[in-house]
Amino acid sequence: MPSNKRRLYIALYPSGVVNNEERKYHWGFLIGPKVEAKFVIPGGRYHVKNSPFGWTYEEILLKNVRATNSLLARILIAKIEDEQRLIALLRRLPVVQGDSNWRCRTWVASALAEIAKDGKCVGTAELDWQKIEAFARRYVADKAASGRYQSVEDILKPKPTWDMIEDKESIP
């Protein structure tokens, strides 16, 4: 019987910091369905964001997980076994204040470590932060170099998506 497990993605957005390669992107998670047959695919975004009041955890239901505002790319990293368990795990992660080295990428890295340690919320997965981060940075840089983010038509399309489980691009 075919599986229809929801998917966990790493999401990259521009951070607004252009002169610092490490801080060039905002990192978060997206959750969406396995099958994306329609143009508009509902899902959710899970991330931490910095505001004038400090870092806060945020969950947002999305009308279209393939094309959220300013999304640069999605990297599929896992098939979800227990979505409620996964979301509860994300909600429990510490949100650190007052440490200038702690950022959204730090939170994503710690989330991946906790997901791996949990062993029950995802099944087939790539959870190695160093591998994911290096690949995601290269993927977005290659897309930018090829002009993928320059025209309005391209910006409105579903965003580039790479499947790290099957090692293939699903949306160019």
Side-chain angles (χ1 to χ4, degrees), residues 22-23 98-103 105-106:
E22 186 175 294
R23 296 182 182 204
D99 178 350
S100 62
N101 292 317
W102 194 91
R103 298 181 300 289
R105 66 182 287 282
T106 315

Side-chain angles (χ1 to χ4, degrees), residues 39 64 66-67 148 151-159:
F39 184 72
N64 190 1
R66 294 190 313 176
R148 176 59 170 85
S151 76
V152 173
E153 294 80 24
D154 282 344
I155 290 170
L156 296 175
K157 289 180 188 174
K159 300 307 187 240

Side-chain angles (χ1 to χ4, degrees), residues 3 15-16 22 42 46 54 80 83 107 147 150-151 157 159 161:
S3 166
S15 70
E22 186 175 294
Y46 305 82
I80 299 171
E83 187 171 348
W107 181 82
Q150 290 180 346
S151 76
K157 289 180 188 174
K159 300 307 187 240
T161 303

Side-chain angles (χ1 to χ4, degrees), residues 13-165:
Y13 301 86
S15 70
V17 178
V18 293
N19 59 350
N20 183 326
E21 192 60 35
E22 186 175 294
R23 296 182 182 204
K24 189 173 188 173
Y25 302 113
H26 174 72
W27 301 79
F29 293 102
L30 295 172
I31 293 177
K34 173 184 178 179
V35 178
E36 295 184 341
K38 300 179 285 184
F39 184 72
V40 176
I41 309 297
R45 178 173 52 219
Y46 305 82
H47 68 134
V48 293
K49 65 180 190 172
N50 201 0
S51 72
F53 308 106
W55 288 98
T56 57
Y57 170 75
E58 182 178 70
E59 295 178 13
I60 299 174
L61 293 177
L62 302 170
K63 289 181 181 179
N64 190 1
V65 75
R66 294 190 313 176
T68 66
N69 288 345
S70 73
L71 177 66
L72 296 170
R74 299 181 303 163
I75 311 297
L76 189 146
I77 60 164
K79 297 177 182 179
I80 299 171
E81 292 290 331
D82 186 336
E83 187 171 348
Q84 295 312 313
R85 184 180 184 98
L86 173 61
I87 293 169
L89 182 151
L90 296 175
R91 289 174 178 159
R92 287 193 307 270
L93 290 170
V95 177
V96 176
Q97 307 296 335
D99 178 350
S100 62
N101 292 317
W102 194 91
R103 298 181 300 289
C104 56
R105 66 182 287 282
T106 315
W107 181 82
V108 167
S110 64
L112 292 171
E114 289 301 313
I115 292 167
K117 190 166 43 171
D118 172 79
K120 294 180 182 172
C121 51
V122 301
T124 305
E126 174 55 67
L127 300 174
D128 180 329
W129 169 243
Q130 266 115 23
K131 184 176 180 181
I132 292 168
E133 181 183 29
F135 178 83
R137 286 181 184 279
R138 190 171 52 252
Y139 183 67
V140 171
D142 290 349
K143 291 295 178 185
S146 73
R148 176 59 170 85
Y149 307 114
Q150 290 180 346
S151 76
V152 173
E153 294 80 24
D154 282 344
I155 290 170
L156 296 175
K157 289 180 188 174
K159 300 307 187 240
T161 303
W162 186 270
D163 182 333
M164 286 192 84
I165 297 168

